[in-house]
Amino acid sequence: MTAKKTARDAQSRAWQRMLSGRRLDLLDPSPLDIEIADIAHGLARVARWNGQTTGAHIFSVAQHTLLVETVMRHEMPGVDQRMRLAALLHDAPEYVIGDMISPFKAVLDGHYKAVEKRLLGAIHIRFGLPPELPEEITQAIKAADRGAAYLEATELAGFSESEARRLFGKDPGLADSVRRDYLTPWTAARAEKQFLERFDAVFA
């Protein structure tokens, strides 16, 4: 193989090899190449807030998704399992593409969002959800996401309460014990384990 061909192949590669052995194409993702173990492993090692958080460990996307699902259950008692599963998976594409802060997503215009949307659609199909969720479910997840972001911003990322209210809305009012646990950054191993346990509970 020539150096020129090797360089061309490297430039055109749009897939990632997963620890499960799957090869996931970012531009045309197949639900058959998606494994929950890969998602949990990846999200537990991706930092929220670009790593600009307090604590001995990063605050991972896996822990964030668990917080979002907890906020949703707090705000919508009796919410069904499919909505809980959708909340848990709402940031699942980040196991492949990372967690990009909102200001940088805006710089990239719609390109990041297009890749993210294709990946999330494939993930939904893999786990029995519609590729695009009904609008009311999407809005409920966004509301829970904003509540989680408020807590993370004020407890971990150095935001004042007034700044967080302006950007993310109100404090969702979780119980102090729940708040302390979910806002203490976990090890990657714990985040991965708890993500998988919650997935098993809502996917059953």
Side-chain angles (χ1 to χ4, degrees):
M1 182 180 294
T2 66
K4 185 175 181 180
K5 186 176 188 303
T6 301
R8 186 173 65 250
D9 289 345
Q11 289 172 354
S12 63
R13 182 170 75 89
W15 52 266
Q16 180 176 344
R17 176 77 64 190
M18 300 297 169
L19 288 180
S20 65
R22 298 290 189 185
R23 195 176 85 165
L24 184 64
D25 187 329
L26 275 67
L27 299 180
D28 187 21
S30 167
L32 297 176
D33 290 326
I34 292 166
E35 300 290 348
I36 195 61
D38 292 330
I39 293 174
H41 184 84
L43 295 185
R45 288 157 178 79
V46 175
R48 287 273 291 169
W49 307 96
N50 268 357
Q52 297 299 309
T53 50
T54 59
H57 307 285
I58 65 165
F59 188 79
S60 71
V61 174
Q63 189 168 350
H64 163 74
T65 62
L66 289 162
L67 177 59
V68 170
E69 192 258 345
T70 299
V71 170
M72 174 180 276
R73 283 188 286 115
H74 172 75
E75 294 183 338
M76 302 175 67
V79 63
D80 68 42
Q81 285 186 248
R82 284 171 61 80
M83 282 186 68
R84 292 173 60 191
L85 177 62
L88 192 64
L89 295 174
H90 81 280
D91 278 339
E94 294 176 10
Y95 88 107
V96 182
I97 56 179
D99 181 31
M100 194 171 293
I101 59 173
S102 296
F104 194 49
K105 288 180 183 179
V107 171
L108 292 179
D109 197 18
H111 301 298
Y112 177 94
K113 281 291 186 184
V115 173
E116 184 181 48
K117 183 177 181 180
R118 282 194 295 269
L119 284 166
L120 186 58
I123 290 165
H124 280 174
I125 292 169
R126 172 66 178 84
F127 299 114
L129 295 170
E132 291 193 32
L133 298 172
E135 184 62 18
E136 63 271 21
I137 296 178
T138 298
Q139 291 306 316
I141 293 171
K142 285 182 176 179
D145 195 25
R146 287 193 297 271
Y150 176 94
L151 294 174
E152 295 166 22
T154 54
E155 299 282 345
L156 298 169
F159 287 63
S160 68
E161 290 185 1
S162 61
E163 187 177 26
R165 278 196 301 272
R166 179 170 58 83
L167 293 170
F168 309 115
K170 64 183 179 65
D171 185 325
L174 296 180
D176 287 344
S177 59
V178 176
R179 189 183 187 113
R180 279 194 302 273
D181 186 24
Y182 280 95
L183 293 167
T184 300
W186 302 333
T187 64
R190 179 181 174 187
E192 181 176 349
K193 179 175 183 289
Q194 294 206 197
F195 181 93
L196 287 171
E197 287 177 350
R198 186 65 58 82
F199 173 84
D200 287 341
V202 298
F203 188 60

